[in-house]
Amino acid sequence: MGNALFHLEWIDYAIMIIYFMFVLGIGWVLKRYMKDANAFLEAGRSMPAWVAGLAFISTNLGALEVMGMAGSGAKYGMLTTHFYWIGAIPAMVFLAIFMMPFYYGSKARSVPEYLKLRFDEKTRGLNAILFAVMTVLASGISMYALALLMEKVLGWDFNLSLLLSAAIVLAYTYLGGLSSAIYNEVLQFFIIVIGLLPIVFLGLHEVGGWSGLKEGLAPIVSGKGFAADSFTTTWKYTDQATSNPLGVEWYGILFGLGFVLSFGYWCTNFLIVQRAMAAKSTTAARNTPLIGAIPKMLIPFLIIVPGIIALVLMNNPSSGFSITENGKPNYDLTIIMLLKHYLPTGVLGLGITALLASFMSGMAGNVSAFNTVWTYDIYQSYIRPATGDKEADSKHYLKVGRMATVFGVLVSIAAAYLAGLFGNIMDFLQTIFSMINAPLFAVIFLGMFWKRATGHGAFIGLLGGFLVALLHHGLTVPAGATTLVKGGWLGVLHTYPVEMAQNFWTAIYACAASAIIAVVVSLTTTQKKTDDELRGLVYSLTPKIKEDHVVWYMRTNTLAIFVLTMMVILSILFW
Amino acid sequence: MLDIRIPIGLLFTVLGILLSAYGIYTNANTELYSKSFQFNVNLWSGLGMLVFGVIMLLTVRKKKG
């Protein structure tokens, strides 16, 4: 207990306990609505658009993300907003307008199931198994990071923290399924906004507002060899990779991040798409990503701006602010140290609760996506198919879904301890994830917009894209890499200035290769699906959606225009 | 189905009351608020949460009524 970073008082604990009582209480109340598999695993397709939209964005606002992005704010400045604007918004708009009608309208219960309906069983199987494995690993890693944080920050025992957080997550997902996970994501969204707002205000107060921040940054940034305003602008210094702190030029950002990486993530990751599939109508499902996009664009002011403030503070010895650990700056600590620097007892408890909440809802999100894919795409497809007795089947799959929840949490705990043994597992997993997602986007995109794409084409395209990604990763390294996890394990053909540039290009090659392979194989194999079977799954065979009955400001196209305009305005303001 | 605005409204009302009460109670404690430049962040955050919680609850009542 002695060397914990924070000392919490009774009021801090009271806030934390009340919050988690509500979390468990929501699960408890929702339990009585969980009468069949559909209610438990798909939230009964009943969520209003704003609830699904906030959950949609909240799933991507886990504590690791918050801590990482605040750290990136300190490292790269406002260029980090590319991950929130160009690297998210176009993909979310595309998902809403073009892809959601097929995901939602096809009545598929998961992304793997869409692949089964559109292509074939083997494509679904490959995707389902990969997704299930990756999802529990991801949940284990966030559990590990959470326990580590609680040990360091609060002085709590590692094992106890791990098991306690796993127990809370298990309890509310077991009781209320996807609905419970979604409700808690919405709760987490509000608590994280309210928990971090005081830091933004106090931080801007200390550095003298936005103009004071710019003045404070100028000497620091010039010292790093960049233009004085390069940390408060987004596109201005992207004509060359070397003239901005991100180390990537504008076309790398536009195509790598803005196209391949973000479309691969936002449009095909079932963890995200599941939130929109839980919406109550086609219009609500399409509006989900667009409603989520509005707060998404504003999150940088809550997370990245404090990171930039931290950069100014850590270069000013009289501020008493530091993120140095064992002689080196640990950027992951940025947000934690800001909490410590600014928040007195009371709101401090709120800030810590917000972080814990976002860790747990991240795990719950993974577990609730895992149990759906496990139950429908693995268990129902390969172990025990439906018998035809709808009522009995639904009861049975509800039971299986619940058991999968328990199983998912147990495997996550095992994965958490595994993560403790291999320090690089987080990097490793993220690398593999981007290798799987980029080809998946290419294949789903072809599937939705080209009716000639075949099952064999999709399957071989997925595998081929993944192999090309592996090959590219094996032949290139980011400058200064010390482990083979970063690449170059086959030899080094090219060295990228930063790791991010390598990631971007891995994804670009994987996506392009996957698309080319899928097209070539599709053209040389026969289409086994008839036009009738493809209705509702392919653009050209699906009737256009009419929105006449929806009020004009809630129409998908209206919201899309609004969201894109807002992105353009923000980009110009911070050009 | 449970309307999510009810738990959100209740949670923020309860936390808001708790935090603003603590803020009022500690208002004279200059040492506590030295970190936050003597802004009583507990009181202001608490009031903000309370207002947000009550608005959430009111929107539920209005719809039912």
Side-chain angles (χ1 to χ4, degrees):
Chain A
M1 289 293 283
N3 44 16
L5 272 175
F6 289 103
H7 174 72
L8 298 188
E9 296 283 342
W10 65 268
I11 177 92
D12 302 313
Y13 285 112
I15 291 169
M16 204 181 285
I17 289 167
I18 291 172
Y19 181 82
F20 286 108
M21 275 167 46
F22 268 83
V23 166
L24 293 173
I26 288 176
W28 181 252
V29 174
L30 288 174
K31 179 173 179 274
R32 61 191 159 110
Y33 300 101
M34 300 299 127
K35 293 204 170 71
D36 54 26
N38 167 281
F40 187 74
L41 297 170
E42 299 161 75
R45 291 201 166 199
S46 63
M47 294 291 158
W50 73 273
V51 174
L54 288 181
F56 184 91
I57 213 63
S58 201
T59 314
N60 181 249
L61 196 61
L64 290 176
E65 164 92 7
V66 171
M67 289 162 62
M69 284 297 169
S72 297
K75 273 192 276 186
Y76 313 121
M78 284 303 272
L79 274 112
T80 313
T81 57
H82 287 312
F83 288 90
Y84 289 81
W85 298 344
I86 191 74
I89 305 306
M92 289 162 82
V93 169
F94 188 81
L95 172 68
I97 294 184
F98 294 107
M99 296 178 82
M100 231 31 243
F102 306 113
Y103 280 139
Y104 194 87
S106 67
K107 297 276 183 277
R109 296 166 297 183
S110 65
V111 169
E113 193 166 56
Y114 175 81
L115 290 172
K116 150 83 181 157
L117 294 172
R118 173 62 187 84
F119 296 115
D120 56 10
E121 191 58 63
K122 62 179 182 296
T123 309
R124 178 245 285 266
L126 175 69
N127 180 245
I129 290 165
L130 279 178
F131 181 81
V133 172
M134 299 295 288
T135 309
V136 277
L137 281 181
S139 133
I141 286 170
S142 75
M143 216 176 259
Y144 169 75
L146 168 67
L148 212 59
L149 186 81
M150 285 165 95
E151 189 180 38
K152 182 146 107 193
V153 173
L154 303 174
W156 294 1
D157 179 67
F158 178 85
N159 295 309
L160 182 75
S161 314
L162 189 78
L163 296 177
L164 187 68
S165 51
I168 294 178
V169 168
L170 176 60
Y172 77 79
T173 37
Y174 183 88
L175 289 169
L178 180 62
S179 313
S180 197
I182 288 179
Y183 276 21
N184 279 300
E185 280 155 7
V186 176
L187 211 58
Q188 173 229 333
F189 173 81
F190 288 118
I191 200 96
I192 208 152
V193 171
I194 292 173
L196 293 182
L197 263 182
I199 294 186
V200 182
F201 282 114
L202 295 171
L204 283 175
H205 177 81
E206 181 168 8
V207 298
W210 183 251
S211 58
L213 182 64
K214 282 208 253 188
E215 274 169 43
L217 276 171
I220 301 163
V221 174
S222 308
K224 292 177 189 273
F226 297 113
D229 59 345
S230 62
F231 268 58
T232 46
T233 53
T234 55
W235 292 100
K236 196 172 173 186
Y237 297 101
T238 53
D239 50 331
Q240 277 177 355
T242 46
S243 55
N244 70 74
L246 203 59
V248 186
E249 59 290 87
W250 65 270
Y251 52 90
I253 295 171
L254 202 61
F255 296 111
L257 181 63
F259 183 60
V260 183
L261 279 182
S262 75
F263 279 69
Y265 179 81
W266 293 100
C267 304
T268 62
N269 189 340
F270 178 54
L271 180 62
I272 304 285
V273 176
Q274 187 181 28
R275 270 69 200 151
M277 288 167 90
K280 63 181 178 186
S281 66
T282 307
T283 304
R286 296 178 77 201
N287 288 350
T288 293
L290 299 173
I291 290 173
I294 298 167
K296 177 80 187 170
M297 281 185 274
L298 300 175
I299 288 169
F301 301 104
L302 207 60
I303 298 175
I304 297 172
V305 168
I308 304 176
I309 292 170
L311 177 65
V312 173
L313 297 183
M314 68 181 91
N315 283 283
N316 173 11
S318 67
S319 74
F321 179 86
S322 161
I323 55 166
T324 306
E325 197 181 48
N326 306 325
K328 278 190 303 197
N330 179 355
Y331 285 98
D332 286 342
L333 280 182
T334 305
I335 208 86
I336 305 274
M337 297 317 282
L338 284 170
L339 290 177
K340 187 179 164 68
H341 186 70
Y342 286 125
L343 299 188
T345 298
V347 276
L348 179 62
L350 198 65
I352 299 278
T353 304
L355 273 187
L356 295 184
S358 60
F359 262 114
M360 289 192 202
S361 82
M363 294 190 299
N366 279 309
V367 170
S368 62
F370 166 82
N371 62 16
T372 306
V373 167
W374 166 263
T375 306
Y376 289 145
D377 294 303
I378 298 176
Y379 183 82
Q380 190 179 4
S381 310
Y382 305 115
I383 301 173
R384 185 189 171 283
T387 56
D389 178 349
K390 270 200 172 145
E391 207 169 310
D393 276 344
S394 188
K395 286 239 156 55
H396 178 73
Y397 293 126
L398 170 63
K399 219 166 85 187
V400 172
R402 283 224 156 101
M403 275 157 55
T405 309
V406 178
F407 177 73
V409 171
L410 290 179
V411 179
S412 302
I413 296 175
Y417 282 103
L418 203 69
L421 294 177
F422 305 101
N424 279 326
I425 196 165
M426 176 87 191
D427 286 343
F428 178 71
L429 199 72
Q430 272 178 346
T431 310
I432 299 280
F433 240 130
S434 66
M435 289 178 180
I436 294 174
N437 277 343
L440 185 60
F441 174 69
V443 164
I444 292 185
F445 181 84
L446 283 175
M448 284 179 175
F449 297 99
W450 189 44
K451 69 173 188 170
R452 185 64 183 78
T454 66
H456 290 317
F459 186 75
I460 298 171
L462 281 182
L463 284 182
F466 180 64
L467 285 180
V468 167
L470 270 184
L471 201 65
H472 178 263
H473 187 256
L475 290 171
T476 59
V477 285
T482 47
T483 64
L484 291 179
V485 175
K486 306 268 182 212
W489 35 272
L490 291 173
V492 178
L493 283 185
H494 183 77
T495 303
Y496 287 104
V498 287
E499 196 175 338
M500 207 163 321
Q502 184 198 24
N503 286 341
F504 287 7
W505 287 105
T506 300
I508 292 172
Y509 279 111
C511 187
S514 180
I516 292 166
I517 295 168
V519 168
V520 171
V521 176
S522 290
L523 289 175
T524 50
T525 49
T526 49
Q527 175 62 280
K528 295 198 179 92
K529 300 259 182 191
T530 62
D531 278 6
D532 219 30
E533 285 174 307
L534 292 178
R535 193 145 294 144
L537 301 169
V538 181
Y539 189 75
S540 59
L541 298 173
T542 307
K544 301 283 165 290
I545 292 176
K546 289 212 170 62
E547 287 195 303
D548 303 342
H549 61 288
V550 184
V551 279
W552 67 270
Y553 55 86
M554 283 309 286
R555 285 181 197 159
T556 306
N557 291 343
T558 318
L559 282 173
I561 292 168
F562 175 74
V563 162
L564 287 174
T565 313
M566 190 170 153
M567 186 192 84
V568 171
I569 291 174
L570 281 170
S571 301
I572 293 171
L573 280 178
F574 293 93
W575 187 265
Chain B
M1 194 76 169
L2 169 71
D3 188 329
I4 192 182
R5 288 171 298 182
I6 298 170
I8 293 177
L10 285 175
L11 174 68
F12 282 96
T13 307
V14 171
L15 288 184
I17 292 171
L18 181 70
L19 210 53
S20 25
Y22 186 76
I24 293 167
Y25 175 71
T26 55
N27 198 27
N29 190 338
T30 50
E31 197 199 324
L32 180 68
Y33 295 111
S34 62
K35 278 180 175 181
S36 57
F37 316 103
Q38 299 307 324
F39 286 115
N40 190 335
V41 270
N42 286 328
L43 181 60
W44 288 113
S45 299
L47 288 177
M49 289 165 85
L50 183 59
V51 169
F52 176 69
V54 169
I55 290 174
M56 273 284 163
L57 290 176
L58 284 179
T59 59
V60 180
R61 265 195 63 185
K62 202 174 142 197
K63 201 181 155 196
K64 290 213 173 112

